[in-house]
Amino acid sequence: MKRNINRSTTSRKKRKYEETALREKRDSLPVINFLEGLKIHVHVANFGAGRLKIFEKQIEKYGGELIRDLPISSGEITHIVFEESIDAEKLKKLVIPAHFPNAHFVRCTWLSLSVKNKTREHVVGHEIETGAEKLKGIDSKSTLVIAGCSKNVNSSNHTSLDVNAGNVQPCHCSIECSSGSTRSLQILPENNLEACDKSAHGEQVSHNLVNEGDRLLAPPSEEKCVTNSKLRNFKVKWESNESLTESNKTKYGGERLEPENHENLLKKSTPQGPLNKDKGSTNVKAFSKQLQSKFVCSQPSTSHSKGFNSHITKELEKLAAAYKSKNDTWRAVGYQKAISAIRNYSKEITSREEALGIRGVGARLADKVSEIIESGKLRKVAEVCEDDEAKTLQLFMGVWGAGPTTAKNWYIQGFRTLDDLQTKATLTRHQQIGLKHYSDINSRIPREEVAEIENYVREAALTIKEGLIVMVCGSYRRGKPTCGDVDVLITHPDGQSHTNLFKSVLKKLHENGFLTDDLVTQEDNGNQQKYLGVCKLPGAHKKHRRLDVIVVPYAEYAPATMYFTGSAHFNRSMRLLATKMGMSLSEHGLRAGVVRQGREKLTEGYLLDTPSEESIFAHLGLEYRSPQERDH
DNA sequence: CCCA
DNA sequence: AGTTGGT
DNA sequence: TGGGCAACAACT
Ligand SMILES: [Mg+2]
């Protein structure tokens, strides 16, 4: 069941929309070249793949010269941009500051702020103080600096590279030691190293094969040493070798960056890594757009639907609803995807082949479309609509607090009507309320009434504390003419007054009977985050309405607003995009540097600054979309 | 369900 | 831990 | 064959 839920709450991505790519090309022309004359390199370390691309793209967009591959030394480079968590100590493990006498070593906040203000910001406050003595550079051969390597001799008597660097493709190469001497060695699978002149078996010499600061020199050009996608996922493990104990050796030794997710998205357009810089590299812009174009969140929702095929989508919607009530959510998602594609199709579909050409419509759905075209309806739909079980499940799911599992159980117990539930079923407190207000809760709210409720809540809140921000999000903010419920977000600009606000606000709202039922509320918990309940405006003939309130700290205002505005589909799409970029998005914030193994998070990463919704879009490399454009 |  | 809910 | 439209809070 848990697996089903997880499966049911995730879903597919959308592939159509060649139009998206076209529009995006048009939009990407530079407006201001405030980076003109600057030669900027973005260092890969600790950046997620996508985030790196975004910064690189921005440099090009605003007239800067992007130095894609960092040479050993250069007097020409003006800026090297690092990820936020890189401090001076870490920086020195990545580059030799003295080899870039004219470069500013800045955190990417400098670039973010510059882009935000469309002006070249001063580096003060963003610069990483290296205290570098100025030296002249050597040559421009590309290298990979060994920033962390395990000295531990493993079972096969091999020194291994820092596993967090990703796997380096097995090859012959050489190491240039800090002392200046070089040594030939072989990289084996799993990053194990072996000296080419290795003599005896299991020699202790192996743990001195490489040291921090050594540089991995490019192998002969024939032999590809490090694939780009691996390099793009290069991470630095900062623990000193000395501190590696047996226990954390095991811990880190078992972990691998999983570049596969990125690879799938990267491989079509990724450049060669620094070790193969002569191969040239490609099209950062295309990459980023290609990544995004698969995500609904990159594309405005088309509000003006034509309705050429509403006779088709109407039928398919019924099936989608039926599958959803049967807990077959991924099938429902597949239907929903196709429905969305067909709805946006610009003319009436007249053949199976035409339907098959639409992204998201496969053979089976094309058959169904064909049947609708020819007969006007689907046997399958008729079957479902007559189906006692499906109809009953959908009826029961209308009870707030009852999902597919409960509905199914009730059905198995022989219940068929709401009255059966009222008189015979075991109901949770939620379900009792849900049943009591079944009709009202399942009816739409005109947006005018939503505005009334908003004002009622705002006035109540403002009697508790001045300066509170009270705004309605959800479908109301997306501009829909009717809403299923009212989603009120409350915060306070002072960053403090939101604490313990629920208790007093809810008490106030209860006073005159505005709140009629509480569903989810934790008023004993000072950390309460949400209230779900039922309210009714004063006056006759008013319906009971579902009211959701969240109270958030001001620091989370933007991500909370994003979440609460939705749509759900939009949120899920944007969150998936974030994961593909090595980030994580929730209502609490946007994190970067998140390391995952499959779907499991290994590293929390760190919070990015998200003062506005715009900043969240920007971090993800997306054009801003207004709430109305998020109605997917 | 669709798709790679 | 499983279910439901919010976007 | 398995991911896709996520990542949370709260109740039971
Ligand atoms: Mg709503």
Side-chain angles (χ1 to χ4, degrees), chain A residues 61-133:
Chain A
K61 178 171 176 180
Y62 296 110
E65 181 179 340
L66 175 62
I67 309 299
R68 206 167 264 119
D69 301 324
L70 189 66
I72 277 190
S73 68
S74 167
E76 295 190 340
I77 293 180
T78 62
H79 296 73
I80 303 181
V81 177
F82 291 88
E83 190 262 7
E84 284 98 333
S85 66
I86 306 294
D87 58 23
E89 189 187 337
K90 297 168 182 174
L91 185 147
K92 287 175 185 169
K93 297 180 180 178
L94 298 168
V95 298
I96 301 173
H99 288 184
F100 305 93
N102 299 316
H104 294 287
F105 301 93
V106 295
R107 281 178 286 274
C108 58
T109 51
W110 169 76
L111 191 52
S112 296
L113 194 64
S114 296
V115 168
K116 180 189 167 194
N117 296 335
K118 299 279 187 289
T119 176
R120 181 182 161 187
E121 290 290 328
H122 204 285
V123 294
V124 169
H126 304 280
E127 207 156 14
I128 304 169
E129 190 43 65
T130 60
E133 340 73 68

Side-chain angles (χ1 to χ4, degrees), chain A residues 411-443:
Chain A
Y411 184 83
I412 291 170
Q413 292 166 52
F415 307 142
R416 295 293 181 271
T417 67
L418 296 183
D419 190 63
D420 287 344
L421 299 184
Q422 185 67 68
T423 56
K424 301 177 220 165
T426 306
L427 300 173
T428 67
R429 195 179 58 83
H430 290 166
Q431 290 155 0
Q432 291 172 36
I433 297 169
L435 196 52
K436 180 169 68 178
H437 299 299
Y438 189 94
S439 173
D440 280 1
I441 283 181
N442 286 297
S443 55

Side-chain angles (χ1 to χ4, degrees), chain A residues 442-494:
Chain A
N442 286 297
S443 55
R444 305 289 298 177
I445 314 172
R447 65 179 287 118
E448 295 73 25
E449 187 178 338
V450 175
E452 283 183 60
I453 293 172
E454 171 186 25
N455 289 330
Y456 192 99
V457 174
R458 179 181 291 116
E459 282 183 28
L462 290 178
T463 66
I464 306 298
K465 175 72 189 177
E466 273 185 23
L468 283 174
I469 296 172
V470 178
M471 68 183 293
V472 180
C473 300
S475 52
Y476 179 84
R477 186 160 182 257
R478 297 200 307 273
K480 307 301 286 181
T482 68
C483 307
D485 62 5
V486 184
D487 306 296
V488 180
L489 180 152
I490 301 178
T491 188
H492 197 291
D494 70 9

Side-chain angles (χ1 to χ4, degrees), chain A residues 45 99 300 357 511 544 562 579 594:
Chain A
H99 288 184
E511 270 174 17
H544 290 82
M562 286 292 310
T579 70
V594 177

Side-chain angles (χ1 to χ4, degrees), chain A residues 295-313:
Chain A
F295 291 82
V296 165
C297 61
S298 75
Q299 201 223 337
S301 52
T302 55
S303 52
H304 21 279
S305 52
K306 305 92 186 176
F308 297 110
N309 296 298
S310 56
H311 58 298
I312 297 172
T313 57

